[in-house]
Amino acid sequence: MAYLSALLFALLIAEVNSLPPQDQSLQNRQTTSGSKCKCYEGESCWPSATAWSTLNATVDGYLQKVVPAGAVCYNTFEGKNTYNSSACSIATANWNQQSFHPKQEDPVYAMNPLYTNGACLPTTNKAATCSPGFLADYVIMAKTKQHIAAGVKFAREYNLPYGALAINTHSFQDIKFTKQYAGPGAYTGSAVTVGAGIQSREMYTAAFNQNPKVNIVGGECATVGFAGGYIQGGGHGPLTSLYGMAADQALEFEVVTAKGEFVTANADINPDLFWALRGGGPATFAIVTSLTVKTFPEVPSAMVILNINSTHTTNTALWWQAVTLFHSLSNHYVDNDLFVYYELTPGTLHIQPFVGPNMNSAKLAQILKPLYDGLTKLGIRYTAVAKEYPTSRSFFNKDDIATNNAAIIDSYKQILSPPELGFGVIIGHIVGPGNALPVFDNAVHSGWRNASSFSIASLFPTQQQWATAKKVMTEKLTPAMTKASPRGGAYVNECDLGQPDWQNQFWGTNYPKLLEIRKNGMVMGFSMLKLQSERKTGPRLAIRLSSAKSREN
């Protein structure tokens, strides 16, 4: 996949990493009395070298001064020699590969250079300046929750701004399975407790190795950090139509609060915090150290990969009819528990795959028959490959898909062909969490419960085109998707950071309660910013979720 994701660190005070380039609003922010809210480097209040050294001792030597991974392509970074010809060649060749940054043990890179103000990208001009952009100044490579607490307390003591200090939780790698959960609540089935550093690949592998094998509602990208922003933003994946959102499966969190306290949050202990952590937004309420979620029996699955591209038709109008047909059946797919992942680029519809949990190829073919018959009726050729496996691995409202699919497709056309930028891409997910759980009490936007299509609009501007791209996305493409599905919403984990009406679009009627919880002093001292947690290549800026038919609930 083209995704780069999951840095696996808690952005303690690093929300500035999610600010657009050249946006200095946080740095210049002042109180009504005229004094600055936070203390910045270069000011007298900034921690001294001795203070940083004391913090390093407190965290057992795991504090690092951040050096961008691209610094190896520059003569110096902040006065220190950093150039390394062979390392620069490797960085240049692999910069956009999802496995590169974890392998380099890069603790803070946001994996989207335009959101970090083009921070120290690989270059052939080694005499250029390596700028840290919006990357954190320091990072604690935490090994224990005490290290996290020390970082939180240090940030509070010195009133540090967002972006001064990050906490990397990649070392929290524990995984423990249980066949019968005995904690609070009515659930007594199987479960797993994972550390904050566990990625999807590791989690799925461990689940597969259980006897009997189990599965988990997780993301489709192997490098997504499960216990962090993924589940705190809601979390969708291949089993969502069958079991609901990932946040719906959470049974308990262990966290560090803004006061540096160790807290458990579940149905009985700190229930409001528990509610908020399940969908209320990444890096907003606490730093998660571990998470317990439900597991499910492993089941066989069938998959189909389908392509319609220039080898099948060069008739653009006919190709769009095929896309329209495919998307119009979104409700049908999720009503049959399917998950669909697809990529839409000019002239190419690549579906890889349709996933049918707990079914064989014959059953999946039967479900896809309306699509196949419709394509044949339109006279459109396609290629489809079916496979069976012994295991499985902005939302649009369902009513809007049923009644306004043409407008949704029109918004897709705008995204794929923005005249200001040449072309765009849509990464699509057809998924229906409400198929399994029509109603569920957590912070996830209730619009997900009547959604069946989730689309990510991506643009690919150069650094010079960034301002234009932001304007096009926020003022043109996002409103087009919103207008096409007014009953849908936007997904905080994969969003347009300039999203208008973000409180309602991200959380709907849940926002007032989230704001109240944030004000009660329990949670992290973060503002409700549209923080991107699952980081991927390209300025993937807007999302929309939609649906196709009313549900009684």
Side-chain angles (χ1 to χ4, degrees), residues 156-352:
R156 288 174 63 90
E157 178 182 356
Y158 286 96
N159 199 26
L160 296 183
Y162 301 133
L165 180 64
I167 296 181
N168 184 305
T169 60
H170 185 73
S171 294
F172 289 69
Q173 292 281 321
D174 292 341
I175 303 180
K176 182 179 180 181
F177 288 86
T178 180
K179 289 182 167 44
Q180 188 170 9
Y181 178 70
Y187 182 76
T188 58
S190 61
V192 62
T193 300
V194 301
I198 293 296
Q199 294 177 316
S200 292
R201 178 192 292 113
E202 300 156 337
M203 185 176 63
Y204 288 139
T205 300
F208 181 79
N209 289 333
Q210 298 305 298
N211 185 17
K213 295 176 175 60
V214 295
N215 212 332
I216 297 166
V217 178
E220 70 270 19
C221 295
T223 54
V224 168
F226 182 74
Y230 169 75
I231 204 162
Q232 291 174 56
H236 61 84
L239 296 180
T240 292
S241 293
L242 200 59
Y243 299 121
M245 299 290 280
D248 302 342
Q249 319 310 323
L251 298 168
E252 184 171 276
F253 294 85
E254 296 290 337
V255 305
V256 180
T257 71
K259 296 179 181 179
E261 297 172 342
F262 308 132
V263 166
T264 298
N266 56 39
D268 290 349
I269 304 170
N270 299 307
D272 282 349
L273 179 59
F274 180 56
W275 183 88
L277 286 168
R278 294 174 298 157
T284 301
F285 294 93
I287 296 178
V288 174
T289 59
S290 72
L291 164 70
T292 301
V293 297
K294 301 174 184 177
T295 63
F296 301 94
E298 183 62 279
V299 294
S301 65
M303 300 185 188
V304 166
I305 300 170
L306 187 146
N307 287 287
I308 303 174
N309 52 44
S310 59
T311 67
H312 305 103
T313 181
T314 57
N315 184 325
T316 301
L318 193 61
W319 179 79
W320 274 114
Q321 288 183 54
V323 173
T324 301
L325 171 65
F326 158 70
H327 193 265
S328 71
L329 292 168
S330 297
N331 302 333
H332 170 70
Y333 305 142
V334 300
D335 284 346
N336 284 279
D337 297 332
L338 300 192
F339 170 83
V340 187
Y341 175 90
Y342 66 95
E343 297 172 356
L344 199 62
T345 58
T348 297
L349 171 61
H350 175 58
I351 305 169
Q352 185 171 345

Side-chain angles (χ1 to χ4, degrees), residues 64-182:
Q64 295 182 11
K65 184 73 172 73
V66 169
V67 177
V72 293
C73 294
Y74 297 77
N75 284 331
T76 63
F77 173 70
E78 296 187 348
K80 294 185 178 180
N81 295 330
T82 53
Y83 184 73
N84 183 312
S85 178
S86 60
C88 178
S89 297
I90 294 171
T92 301
N94 296 284
W95 196 257
N96 289 330
Q97 299 302 313
Q98 67 175 7
S99 60
F100 172 71
H101 294 277
K103 285 182 179 178
Q104 301 304 305
E105 297 183 354
D106 183 348
V108 299
Y109 188 64
M111 295 191 178
N112 189 327
L114 295 180
Y115 279 119
T116 61
N117 204 20
C120 202
L121 301 178
T123 179
T124 57
N125 180 14
K126 62 182 181 180
T129 299
C130 174
S131 167
F134 293 145
L135 297 179
D137 298 307
Y138 292 87
V139 57
I140 296 173
M141 304 298 292
K143 309 299 180 184
T144 68
K145 62 184 181 181
Q146 287 77 15
H147 293 164
I148 296 174
V152 172
K153 291 174 181 178
F154 184 85
R156 288 174 63 90
E157 178 182 356
Y158 286 96
N159 199 26
L160 296 183
Y162 301 133
L165 180 64
I167 296 181
N168 184 305
T169 60
H170 185 73
S171 294
F172 289 69
Q173 292 281 321
D174 292 341
I175 303 180
K176 182 179 180 181
F177 288 86
T178 180
K179 289 182 167 44
Q180 188 170 9
Y181 178 70

Side-chain angles (χ1 to χ4, degrees), residues 291-444:
L291 164 70
T292 301
V293 297
K294 301 174 184 177
T295 63
F296 301 94
E298 183 62 279
V299 294
S301 65
M303 300 185 188
V304 166
I305 300 170
L306 187 146
N307 287 287
I308 303 174
N309 52 44
S310 59
T311 67
H312 305 103
T313 181
T314 57
N315 184 325
T316 301
L318 193 61
W319 179 79
W320 274 114
Q321 288 183 54
V323 173
T324 301
L325 171 65
F326 158 70
H327 193 265
S328 71
L329 292 168
S330 297
N331 302 333
H332 170 70
Y333 305 142
V334 300
D335 284 346
N336 284 279
D337 297 332
L338 300 192
F339 170 83
V340 187
Y341 175 90
Y342 66 95
E343 297 172 356
L344 199 62
T345 58
T348 297
L349 171 61
H350 175 58
I351 305 169
Q352 185 171 345
F354 292 94
V355 181
N358 204 24
M359 62 181 70
N360 57 25
S361 293
K363 174 64 175 176
L364 182 55
Q366 181 183 357
I367 295 170
L368 296 181
K369 189 174 186 299
L371 174 63
Y372 295 151
D373 289 349
L375 292 174
T376 300
K377 185 176 181 180
L378 289 172
I380 297 176
R381 295 187 301 116
Y382 61 91
T383 56
V385 178
K387 298 181 180 181
E388 291 185 2
Y389 296 89
T391 60
S392 58
R393 291 296 167 226
S394 169
F395 55 91
F396 293 106
N397 178 269
K398 297 188 77 176
D399 303 311
D400 292 328
I401 292 176
T403 61
N404 207 26
N405 190 59
I408 293 172
I409 299 302
D410 284 343
S411 73
Y412 284 4
K413 292 178 181 178
Q414 294 183 53
I415 293 164
L416 263 58
S417 302
E420 302 90 342
L421 294 163
F423 79 99
V425 172
I426 290 172
I427 305 298
H429 308 72
I430 293 176
V431 59
N435 197 48
L437 296 172
V439 177
F440 199 86
D441 187 21
N442 58 21
V444 173

